[in-house]
Amino acid sequence: MAVGKSDVEIFKPRNDKREYRRIVLPNSLEVLLISDPDTDKAAASMDVSVGYFCDPDGLEGLAHFLEHMLFYASEKYPMEDSYSKYITEHGGSANAFTSSEHTNFYFDVNVDCFEEALDRFAQFFVRPLMSPDATLREIKAVDSENQKNLLSDGWRMSQLQKHLCSKDHPYHKFSTGNWETLEVKPKSKGLDTRLELIKFYEENYSANLMHLVVYARESLNDIQKLVEREFCDIRNTERDYFHFLGQPCSLEHLQILVKAVPIREGHALKITWPITPSIRYYKEGPCRYLSHLIGHEGEGSLFYILKQLGWAISLEAGEGDWSLEFSFFYVSIELTDAGHEHIEDIVGLLFKYILLLQNSGVMKWIFDELVAICETGFHYRDKIPPIHYVVNIASNMQKAF
């Protein structure tokens, strides 16, 4: 049974009729239960505080590879791919992603099939199987995914930014992995990738580093009983949370201009600054304030001028890659052919606009307007699909202050 419930109030939108409950299982797994009698889909998301920053040296992509392997089979359900097949056959979908400090697994399914689906899902974290045959096949699948990413400008530019940062910081790592990093290089060093994978799982996947969100039609008490039964056997090795101190950029990595030829036709300009993570100032919301003003499209805005000059098609600004220790703020501008010929002028206008904002100081009326917009958005938001809702909450549970 659960050993703890939160005494803090769970704030929810005024128009939200769903019920919520936070519990902590005896193995220290933290869980948020959501009861929605009106839903036609049930969903769950498990967020593990282990990402590609944890990849061992010489095994880049191992955390992502583990994400793939956990889908294959378990001791309780040894038939390969039976989990994905069950979810698909019962009106659902399943996926996962690996980020710098987290790996998130999630699914949705028809409500009348949720109990068995959740049992199959739980086995990822209880007793998964990682057979030698599946290992080789899934390395090829990871390599295929990376080959696909090579044709994506977004992925290419993301990896380029990492490559330009300090080699001493884990942000520099190649997160996806491929045949070279997961098969060729380990083998040349006498390493067995499968054994390293099992070691990585056993050392890092601990219940106290996991956060689970479960969304179902049943009552909170019934959902709690189901969760306690399915997830109580996850091992808790009392693994300490990983902390990655330091900054990915020093002075030598700043004030540089990089030109890259895209796959897709068109021109884009992206300016990036390392900043203090805005989550440290979440009540003040500095990035939200700046992105609101720099990304504004009305008369007198930066974009308005660039569009009048015929140089820009679109402009967006905001916080990009971030952790609790570092972050980046970016301005991304889609350029016209004419704009491509005036990049220095565009950058000059951007910095003049930033200087204008600095000299003007923080305007209380703008801040109050953003507060009102955020409050309205929170209290009167439309319901989103359960699968997106659980992923969003699970991904943020560790960040609670």
Side-chain angles (χ1 to χ4, degrees):
M1 62 183 295
V3 296
K5 295 182 181 179
S6 174
D7 293 329
V8 299
E9 181 181 357
I10 296 177
F11 291 94
K12 67 178 187 177
R14 297 189 187 107
N15 65 346
D16 188 352
K17 306 303 181 185
R18 295 167 292 199
E19 294 184 318
Y20 299 80
R21 179 184 296 167
R22 174 189 175 272
I23 63 173
V24 182
L25 301 188
N27 57 4
S28 296
L29 173 63
E30 187 176 336
V31 188
L32 182 69
L33 313 174
I34 306 173
S35 173
D36 180 1
D38 299 323
T39 187
D40 59 353
K41 292 281 188 182
S45 172
M46 178 73 88
D47 192 87
V48 186
S49 296
V50 178
Y52 76 82
F53 278 10
C54 299
D55 284 347
D57 291 338
L59 279 165
E60 289 180 303
L62 193 66
H64 177 226
F65 178 44
L66 175 59
E67 170 217 305
H68 277 241
M69 285 295 293
L70 292 183
F71 275 77
Y72 254 88
S74 63
E75 289 185 13
K76 186 171 183 180
Y77 299 100
M79 185 178 297
E80 290 187 355
D81 278 334
S82 62
Y83 163 76
S84 298
K85 184 179 179 182
Y86 182 87
I87 296 294
T88 302
E89 289 177 346
H90 294 87
S93 60
N95 212 331
F97 62 85
T98 302
S99 64
S100 58
E101 298 179 85
H102 297 265
T103 305
N104 191 291
F105 304 84
Y106 56 95
F107 76 92
D108 68 354
V109 73
N110 293 337
V111 289
D112 56 344
C113 307
F114 184 57
E115 187 169 337
E116 182 173 341
L118 193 67
D119 183 40
R120 291 173 178 271
F121 180 69
Q123 302 311 308
F124 286 21
F125 316 101
V126 179
R127 274 179 283 276
L129 289 179
M130 303 182 204
S131 70
D133 289 344
T135 300
L136 195 61
R137 285 200 304 273
E138 208 55 32
I139 290 177
K140 293 179 180 179
V142 169
D143 186 69
S144 177
E145 181 178 337
N146 181 64
Q147 293 296 323
K148 173 181 65 70
N149 292 343
L150 292 177
L151 300 177
S152 164
D153 287 323
W155 277 99
R156 287 156 58 90
M157 295 304 101
S158 174
Q159 190 59 50
L160 177 59
Q161 178 172 317
K162 294 174 186 178
H163 180 74
L164 294 171
C165 291
S166 172
K167 294 180 180 179
D168 298 325
H169 194 279
Y171 183 73
H172 180 82
K173 290 182 175 181
F174 171 44
S175 59
T176 308
N178 58 18
W179 181 260
E180 184 75 16
T181 66
L182 293 171
E183 175 65 16
V184 177
K185 286 184 179 179
K187 189 170 286 186
S188 69
K189 298 176 183 178
L191 296 176
D192 184 318
T193 302
R194 176 175 171 270
L195 295 181
E196 294 298 321
L197 184 75
I198 294 171
K199 177 183 176 184
F200 184 85
Y201 176 84
E202 291 180 345
E203 289 182 352
N204 299 317
Y205 269 51
S206 176
N208 69 306
L209 300 186
M210 300 180 183
H211 295 82
L212 174 68
V213 179
V214 177
Y215 189 115
R217 179 182 286 178
E218 291 77 13
S219 68
L220 288 175
N221 288 337
D222 288 343
I223 300 172
Q224 180 171 333
K225 290 175 185 176
L226 178 62
V227 166
E228 289 170 348
R229 183 176 75 241
E230 300 297 350
F231 293 91
C232 65
D233 290 333
I234 299 177
R235 296 177 310 120
N236 177 18
T237 62
E238 298 186 352
R239 184 77 164 84
D240 290 337
Y241 274 93
F242 293 93
H243 295 285
F244 302 95
L245 304 177
Q247 299 297 314
C249 296
S250 59
L251 289 176
E252 65 182 289
H253 306 108
L254 302 176
Q255 293 183 309
I256 61 173
L257 172 65
V258 179
K259 297 182 179 180
V261 178
I263 300 293
R264 180 173 159 240
E265 286 189 17
H267 310 292
L269 172 64
K270 186 173 183 180
I271 304 97
T272 306
W273 296 262
I275 61 169
T276 301
S278 65
I279 194 167
R280 295 189 185 179
Y281 305 100
Y282 70 96
K283 291 183 178 180
E284 294 83 3
C287 282
R288 186 182 293 273
Y289 183 92
L290 280 176
S291 62
H292 173 71
L293 293 176
I294 295 176
H296 185 53
E297 298 183 357
E299 187 172 349
S301 68
L302 174 63
F303 177 69
Y304 181 85
I305 299 298
L306 295 177
K307 192 173 181 181
Q308 289 288 102
L309 291 168
W311 292 351
I313 299 170
S314 66
L315 183 152
E316 61 178 24
E319 192 170 18
D321 290 347
W322 66 276
S323 74
L324 295 177
E325 298 296 331
F326 72 89
S327 186
F328 295 97
F329 187 89
Y330 72 92
V331 176
S332 183
I333 307 171
E334 186 180 358
L335 304 174
T336 62
D337 290 342
H340 184 244
E341 302 299 321
H342 292 274
I343 288 178
E344 289 188 9
D345 295 322
I346 293 171
V347 173
L349 286 171
L350 169 61
F351 276 90
K352 284 183 179 179
Y353 189 69
I354 291 173
L355 182 61
L356 173 66
L357 296 179
Q358 288 177 326
N359 292 336
S360 301
V362 177
M363 302 288 189
K364 186 176 184 301
W365 71 269
I366 296 178
F367 180 83
D368 291 341
E369 186 177 85
L370 286 173
V371 169
I373 291 171
C374 290
E375 285 187 348
T376 301
F378 176 76
H379 286 295
Y380 301 103
R381 66 178 64 181
D382 292 331
K383 285 176 73 172
I384 62 174
I387 191 169
H388 301 320
Y389 196 52
V390 295
V391 170
N392 186 23
I393 295 176
S395 299
N396 286 284
M397 282 176 70
Q398 189 204 328
K399 301 181 181 71
F401 284 80

